[in-house]
Each structure stands twice: as structure tokens, then as C-alpha cells.
Amino acid sequence: MSDSRHYEFLVQKKADIEDQLNEYNEILVREKNIGMTGELIDKEGYPRSDIDIYKVRLARQQINRLKNDYNALLVEIEKELINIHSKFKEENKPGEFIEKTIPLSNEKIIEHKPFAKITQIDSKSPSAEAELEIGDEIIQFGPFTHLNTQKSLAEIGDHVRKSENKIVLVKIQRNEAGSDNKKKIIAKLVPKQWHGHGLLGCKIVPIE
């Protein structure tokens, strides 16, 4: 399998895991939006009767398992990207992997709608290093999409804090200059401490 095809295989595998995560997160939402930490017993110490405890426990177990698989896959994707970039530099010829952010042509990954937008990018910040741009619309941030993210974007903030110094793949939609077309890009974002505010150095707002 060529490097490019192997990369596409890994990205599709990542999308499959995200699909499963979305499904199990939907279960938790349907069960009174209990999430990963909501109580399974009532104030009197009895199992809650308003939720399906078995479904909640199973969903939580699967989410934890899938998150471990997801993190391992991100490491593998990063290694593949480094390998592809390295080969491109050696060959010194034009190619689709010339940039850190990679447009995915003929993409068949999950078609989710944008749920947030980048309105500010600080110079020399982690977001600037990932080549994110003002106006980029976020379709997916790690395992989060419009299906499992609240308007407050609280899940994004929590995920960023837990992912310090780790790669977070961010799927964005960007307007192409001089046209009405939009291209989808997957950027590698590494939340980390830097001389500015926060771990990203950008402002993300929900799309109404």
C-alpha cells in the first residue's frame, strides 16, 4: 500500500471510530444527557429509575475503549504524516502533502455540518503553527462534531485541556480565495503552553 493510500486508510479508520463515538454519545444524550460522569443512583442511594443504567454503563465503557483506540490511531497518523513529508522533501517535487494542513480530495469521511468558527488567531500561537485561519469553520474537533457538542463548546475546552502537548486533528471548512467553493482540510493542532493566552491562541465561537 502506498504512503498516500495508507494515510487515507488511517483517516477513514479514524472517521469510523468517531462515528462509533458519536453513536455512544447519542445514547448518553438520550439517557437524560447523563454524560460520562452523571450519577447512576438517586439521592436515597437507589439505582435511578429514569435511565437505562445498563445502556449507560455499556456506552461509557465503549467510549473509554474507543478513546484509547482513537489516541493510538492519532499517533499512527502523525507518524505517517511525518513519513510522507520526509519523502516529499527528499523527492523535492510538487505533491499533495506540501503543507502541514492537508486538503482531502474526493473525501468520503463523515459529512457533518460546521458548528463553530475561528474569529481570531494570535501570531506565533499553536493555532497559527497549525496554519488555521480566521474564518475557518470547524466541522470536527477531535472526536467532537455538531452532534455531541453543546452551544457553549464546553466539550472543546475540556478536550483541549486534556490534550495538552498532544495532536488534535481538526477538520475545517475554508473558503477558497476568489471563488464560492469551500475546501475541507484536516489540520494538526497541538494545544500547549506558549507566551500568549490559553493553549490554542485562537478564539472559537459557536455557529448559530
Side-chain angles (χ1 to χ4, degrees):
M1 187 182 294
S2 68
D3 292 335
S4 179
R5 290 190 65 184
H6 183 54
Y7 169 78
E8 291 175 359
F9 167 77
L10 293 176
V11 171
Q12 184 57 58
K13 186 176 178 181
K14 168 183 167 291
D16 291 341
I17 292 177
E18 289 165 344
D19 259 343
Q20 294 178 67
L21 280 169
N22 286 336
E23 289 176 6
Y24 286 116
N25 275 309
E26 276 294 299
I27 291 175
L28 298 183
V29 170
R30 289 195 298 269
E31 295 296 327
K32 305 297 183 181
N33 201 22
I34 193 169
M36 295 294 288
T37 58
E39 294 290 345
L40 300 181
I41 58 175
D42 59 26
K43 294 180 180 180
E44 297 178 355
Y46 294 103
R48 288 177 57 176
S49 59
D50 60 332
I51 59 173
D52 189 324
I53 293 179
Y54 174 78
K55 279 187 179 180
V56 170
R57 284 177 172 166
L58 179 61
R60 287 177 173 178
Q61 290 171 2
Q62 293 301 319
I63 288 172
N64 285 328
R65 177 185 64 81
L66 288 167
K67 282 184 175 179
N68 289 334
D69 293 344
Y70 187 85
N71 289 333
L73 186 60
L74 289 184
V75 173
E76 192 174 354
I77 289 174
E78 170 65 5
K79 289 179 180 178
E80 189 65 22
L81 283 173
I82 292 173
N83 181 45
I84 291 171
H85 281 293
S86 176
K87 287 189 176 181
F88 168 73
K89 289 179 181 178
E90 290 174 3
E91 294 173 2
N92 192 29
K93 62 182 181 182
E96 61 178 317
F97 298 101
I98 189 169
E99 299 178 345
K100 289 181 181 178
T101 54
I102 302 174
L104 300 178
S105 58
N106 300 320
E107 189 181 38
K108 293 183 180 179
I109 302 177
I110 317 170
E111 290 300 328
H112 290 301
K113 66 180 182 180
F115 65 91
K117 186 175 183 178
I118 297 175
T119 59
Q120 178 181 322
I121 299 281
D122 295 334
S123 177
K124 298 182 180 180
S125 67
S127 294
E129 291 177 359
E131 298 182 6
L132 294 173
E133 297 180 5
I134 294 174
D136 285 346
E137 296 178 340
I138 298 174
I139 298 173
Q140 194 156 335
F141 194 103
F144 297 102
T145 69
H146 72 283
L147 295 176
N148 59 353
T149 306
Q150 300 179 41
K151 284 291 185 182
S152 66
L153 304 182
E155 296 88 352
I156 302 301
D158 185 53
H159 187 65
V160 167
R161 287 187 290 272
K162 292 178 179 177
S163 301
E164 186 172 352
N165 298 318
K166 299 178 182 178
I167 295 172
V168 176
L169 296 185
V170 182
K171 183 178 177 182
I172 60 172
Q173 181 172 277
R174 178 179 296 168
N175 290 323
E176 292 186 322
S179 76
D180 295 328
N181 296 328
K182 294 179 182 289
K183 61 180 178 180
K184 292 183 174 64
I185 295 174
I186 290 185
K188 297 183 299 176
L189 178 61
V190 181
K192 60 184 177 182
Q193 299 289 339
W194 61 297
H195 67 272
H197 177 70
L199 299 176
L200 299 182
C202 73
K203 184 176 181 180
I204 301 174
V205 299
I207 293 178
E208 298 298 333

